[in-house]
Amino acid sequence: MNRRTAWVIFTVAVIATSVLVYPYLGLDIDDSRLDVRDSLHYYVLVGHIGTAAVALVLGSLQFMPKVRARRRVHRTLGRVYLLAGVLPSAVATIPVALWSGRLMTQVGLTTAAVLWLITGGLAYRAARRRDFTAHRNWMMRNYALTFLAVTARILVPLFLLVQIPFRGADPGSTGELAISMIPIGQTLGWVVNLVVVESIIRRRRRLPEARRMERLS
């Protein structure tokens, strides 16, 4: 990945993190953007959001060529990303999803959380085996799941813009429609991210073979 793309990802991650975390900095349950049933629900949600923010920012730094070139920094950031970001956030995602009361959210986010843990574990195992190609690929898949926090919040407004001309622009109906679109955005967000990343990984695999064929021809 070139430096410009890495900086774009980092910038988007920082902006998204600021937007996501800001309402919860005061630890006031009344400021929660999601409906919560009690204090336990609220603080689990805060833990999920806070650790997801850690993963979102630290994961974006790993795409920086200068960071990857410094192996000790890269390893340290990777461990913090997994242990202080992905692991606790994924674990907290499951009760948050189940408490939502919406079947698509429960299934979609729980599946994403499990895949988040699995890809993180496989990335770590590949690094321990010094299979750095597999490590890079699994980390790309893992960060695709991390980036769900951004993609979902892009897809929901897009879905609204598409449907408003057919439903009208009444604020009440638009608000209800937005709420109904959130589970769809949450599920499609990680699916879209994984499809994009998988296409990038497959294209990279084909490039060496194509170059080898060119030399032989």
Side-chain angles (χ1 to χ4, degrees), residues 8-202:
V8 169
I9 293 174
F10 173 72
T11 302
V12 170
V14 170
I15 294 172
T17 295
S18 302
V19 172
L20 294 172
V21 171
Y22 179 75
Y24 301 93
L25 292 177
L27 296 179
D28 186 345
I29 195 170
D30 293 328
D31 292 333
S32 176
R33 288 183 177 174
L34 298 177
D35 292 332
V36 291
R37 60 179 65 187
D38 52 34
S39 297
L40 175 62
H41 187 176
Y42 176 73
Y43 285 112
V44 172
L45 175 64
V46 169
H48 161 66
I49 292 172
T51 50
V54 171
L56 194 59
V57 173
L58 291 187
S60 68
L61 286 174
Q62 296 290 64
F63 292 103
M64 298 283 186
K66 287 186 178 180
V67 172
R68 292 202 308 272
R70 298 177 179 178
R71 293 183 179 179
R72 182 173 296 179
V73 173
H74 179 69
R75 284 198 300 268
T76 301
L77 285 178
R79 287 168 181 165
V80 176
Y81 165 79
L82 289 174
L83 296 177
V86 172
L87 177 59
S89 189
V91 171
T93 295
I94 296 173
V96 168
L98 296 178
W99 284 332
S100 72
R102 296 188 293 263
L103 181 60
M104 182 171 287
T105 297
Q106 292 170 338
V107 174
L109 287 188
T110 300
T111 303
V114 171
L115 291 175
W116 208 10
L117 292 170
I118 291 172
T119 54
L122 291 173
Y124 179 77
R125 186 178 70 173
R128 295 285 295 177
R129 293 178 173 180
R130 304 188 69 80
D131 184 351
F132 297 120
T133 298
H135 170 71
R136 181 188 64 189
N137 292 341
W138 283 117
M139 285 303 292
M140 287 178 64
R141 296 180 181 109
N142 186 266
Y143 193 72
L145 292 159
T146 303
F147 211 71
L148 160 65
V150 177
T151 311
R153 285 161 180 82
I154 294 173
L155 290 178
V156 171
L158 288 178
F159 293 153
L160 285 176
L161 288 174
V162 170
Q163 295 191 51
I164 283 176
F166 304 98
R167 289 175 169 260
D170 177 64
S173 63
T174 301
E176 292 176 2
L177 182 60
I179 293 173
S180 68
M181 289 292 102
I182 289 174
I184 300 173
Q186 289 170 332
T187 302
L188 284 182
W190 62 266
V191 173
V192 169
N193 288 353
L194 284 179
V195 169
V196 170
V197 164
E198 200 63 36
S199 66
I200 293 172
I201 292 171
R202 289 175 181 271

